[in-house]
Amino acid sequence: MKRLVVDEDKRVGPWIAERLDEPLPECFRTIGLEENGNLIAAVLYESFFPEFCLIHVAASPCKRWMTKDMLRLTFLYPFRQLGLIKLYGPVRVSNTQAQRFDEHLGFIREQVIPKGYKGKEDLIIYSMTADQCRFI
């Protein structure tokens, strides 16, 4: 059985950071999804500003992890609870799977930062505004 995991940043944060191969930011919030007690997907929010924040998503290599409840909560939290106007999702240019995923969710490819990922790889910045989000 799948269950949403909220208010467990100390558990979910390291899980998603490991899958993204990134250090855990100082200030962050997470939402996780577990199945049979094991995390299978998570969303991490960071770099909070009054109007926007960054969003990162990671999942175990299974096909059926994004539930309707997970989708709704993923976007309700920043847009309704925090009142943000926009989300930014950075994606490495080599991560075509993440690009397709973001575009399927409705994120717009906004900018490419040359060598923006660790000075070695281009970084695509995707964005979504609250009024573009079809999940809330």
Side-chain angles (χ1 to χ4, degrees):
M1 175 178 224
K2 292 179 181 157
R3 180 182 80 88
L4 291 171
V5 178
V6 295
D7 296 326
E8 292 187 35
D9 294 336
K10 289 182 181 178
R11 173 182 169 218
V12 178
W15 185 91
I16 193 170
E18 180 181 327
R19 275 142 194 86
L20 295 174
D21 192 27
E22 290 290 330
L24 200 56
E26 254 184 67
C27 180
F28 66 94
R29 295 298 308 220
T30 63
I31 297 170
L33 182 68
E34 67 179 16
E35 186 170 45
N36 301 322
N38 297 311
L39 286 167
I40 60 170
V43 178
L44 183 141
Y45 308 90
E46 64 152 323
S47 301
F48 295 94
F49 288 84
E51 299 84 13
F52 66 89
C53 74
L54 298 182
I55 182 172
H56 308 275
V57 178
S60 296
C62 63
K63 296 284 183 191
R64 298 186 146 300
W65 63 268
M66 186 54 87
T67 65
K68 288 181 182 180
D69 288 341
M70 179 75 172
L71 268 175
R72 276 184 47 85
L73 190 56
T74 294
F75 295 104
L76 280 172
Y77 172 68
F79 290 138
R80 294 296 187 257
Q81 187 172 338
L82 298 181
L84 301 180
I85 298 166
K86 197 169 199 176
L87 295 175
Y88 288 104
V91 177
R92 289 178 276 177
V93 74
S94 64
N95 192 344
T96 56
Q97 184 178 9
Q99 292 173 46
R100 283 191 303 274
F101 177 73
D102 283 3
E103 291 167 8
H104 177 73
L105 290 179
F107 280 84
I108 306 298
R109 186 177 180 145
E110 189 165 305
Q111 183 177 7
V112 176
I113 302 172
K115 297 192 184 227
Y117 180 74
K118 298 185 178 182
K120 298 179 182 178
E121 185 176 354
D122 292 355
L123 190 66
I124 302 168
I125 304 299
Y126 282 92
S127 70
M128 178 188 289
T129 59
D131 61 340
Q132 292 170 326
C133 184
R134 67 181 189 264
F135 303 105
I136 53 174

